[in-house]
């Protein structure tokens, strides 16, 4: 893995990885950059999670969508992508697009200006939504790589859904961080949404994807990633 700086952000360190020969860049914010296509991918935004919980009496601060959009805006400003690809569960439920506030809806429209925007179907938001721009698809294949929401363990796959998180022991204490889970043939991206949790990469779901603990966790830090072999990570 090679550390490289994001364009025009010299203090911001990313990791360069290869997936079936495709050069990709993983970013501490949790986005994936595909230089050849100028494509920025992001997984599990879970817009309107707070408003979804509020309908059932579980009150969360109602700012998750705005916070997630602000972070996504920063990533788009760094990379200036030609295409933005959202890998499913972009909304916390199928009614999420209808609950968007005007300001958040305007922000999404502004971010879509001048670029292609693709929404991949997720299990939380399986159907196309009206009034949020972009195009909708079950999955997207580009060369040897296929982007989808739920991982199947196939070669060339980049997916979300599992919300990977790694736990390690550092200086006598346990540290948990969202992470990319990556081997030479597949990748599971971290959840990007402000209120999203995580699933430990030592869970059985990741063994179903990778088959063994032969993958690496690229743990998210403030300005860099920390690559750790999965077998060195701690279970819950």
């Amino acid at each position: 893995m090679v550390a490289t700086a994001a364009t025009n952000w010299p203090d911001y360190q990313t990791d360069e990885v290869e997936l079936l020969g495709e050069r990709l860049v993983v970013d501490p914010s949790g986005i994936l950059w595909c230089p050849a296509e100028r494509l920025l991918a992001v997984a599990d935004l879970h817009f309107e999670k707070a408003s979804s919980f509020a309908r059932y009496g579980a009150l969360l601060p109602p700012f998750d969508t705005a916070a997630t959009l602000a972070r996504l805006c920063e990533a788009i400003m760094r990379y200036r992508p030609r295409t933005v690809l959202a890998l499913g569960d972009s909304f916390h439920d199928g009614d999420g697009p209808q609950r968007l506030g005007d300001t958040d809806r305007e922000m999404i429209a502004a971010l879509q200006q001048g670029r292609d925007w693709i929404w991949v179907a997720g299990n939380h938001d399986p159907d196309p939504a009206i009034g949020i721009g972009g195009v909708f698809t079950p999955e997207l294949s580009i060369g040897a790589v296929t982007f989808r929401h739920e991982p199947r363990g196939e070669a060339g796959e980049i997916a979300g859904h599992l919300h990977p998180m790694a736990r390690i022991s550092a200086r006598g204490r346990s540290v948990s961080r969202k992470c990319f889970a990556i081997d030479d043939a597949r990748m599971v991206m971290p959840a990007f949404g402000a209120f999203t949790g995580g699933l430990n990469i030592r869970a059985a779901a990741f063994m179903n994807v990778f088959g063994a603990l032969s993958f690496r966790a690229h743990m998210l830090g403030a300005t860099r990633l920390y690559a750790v072999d999965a077998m060195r990570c701690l279970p819950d």
Side-chain angles (χ1 to χ4, degrees):
M1 308 301 176
V2 180
T4 181
T7 304
N8 298 325
W9 293 69
D11 297 326
Y12 196 86
Q13 297 299 312
T14 61
D15 285 354
E16 184 177 306
V17 301
E18 281 196 10
L19 199 74
L20 297 184
E22 297 285 344
R23 175 179 167 261
L24 304 169
V25 176
V26 293
D27 185 284
S29 68
I31 66 97
L32 172 69
W33 175 241
C34 308
E37 303 292 334
R38 288 183 55 206
L39 181 147
L40 184 154
V42 63
D44 296 277
L45 296 164
H46 282 268
F47 292 146
E48 294 303 304
K49 182 173 182 176
S51 64
S52 178
F53 275 48
R55 294 189 301 174
Y56 301 99
L59 299 182
L60 297 173
F63 310 115
D64 60 305
T65 299
T68 301
L69 281 170
R71 292 177 54 239
L72 182 56
C73 180
E74 290 175 1
I76 288 173
M77 291 293 291
R78 278 198 301 276
Y79 288 98
R80 305 288 182 177
R82 181 169 57 207
T83 303
V84 172
L85 177 64
L87 286 184
D89 286 2
S90 300
F91 291 86
H92 191 68
D93 57 52
D95 295 330
Q98 286 69 52
R99 297 197 306 276
L100 274 176
D102 290 343
T103 300
D104 294 333
R105 192 180 299 276
E106 290 167 4
M107 174 63 85
I108 292 172
L111 293 177
Q112 291 173 342
Q113 289 295 314
R115 58 182 53 90
D116 295 327
W117 194 285
I118 303 171
W119 306 96
V120 170
N123 59 298
H124 280 252
D125 53 359
D127 301 317
I130 297 172
I132 60 168
V135 298
F136 300 83
T137 184
E139 60 182 39
L140 178 69
S141 293
I142 300 176
V145 174
T146 297
F147 296 90
R148 60 170 59 100
H149 178 62
E150 296 191 45
R152 302 174 189 168
E154 297 176 358
E157 175 181 81
I158 298 175
H161 182 61
L162 293 181
H163 298 208
M165 180 173 285
R167 181 170 172 249
I168 61 170
S169 179
R171 298 179 180 177
R173 65 189 183 95
S174 175
V175 177
S176 294
R177 293 285 187 274
K178 292 181 179 181
C179 69
F180 293 86
I182 308 172
D183 68 8
D184 294 335
R186 56 195 62 77
M187 176 188 303
V188 181
M189 293 183 58
F192 193 85
F195 286 177
T196 51
L199 177 66
N200 193 308
I201 60 168
R202 297 294 298 266
F206 291 96
M207 291 296 292
N208 293 338
V209 175
F210 294 99
L213 291 174
S214 56
F215 61 98
R216 302 196 89 191
H218 290 251
M219 301 173 68
L220 308 189
T223 59
R224 58 162 294 186
L225 298 110
Y226 300 86
V228 184
D229 291 337
M231 65 180 61
R232 292 181 53 205
C233 295
L234 304 174
D236 289 333

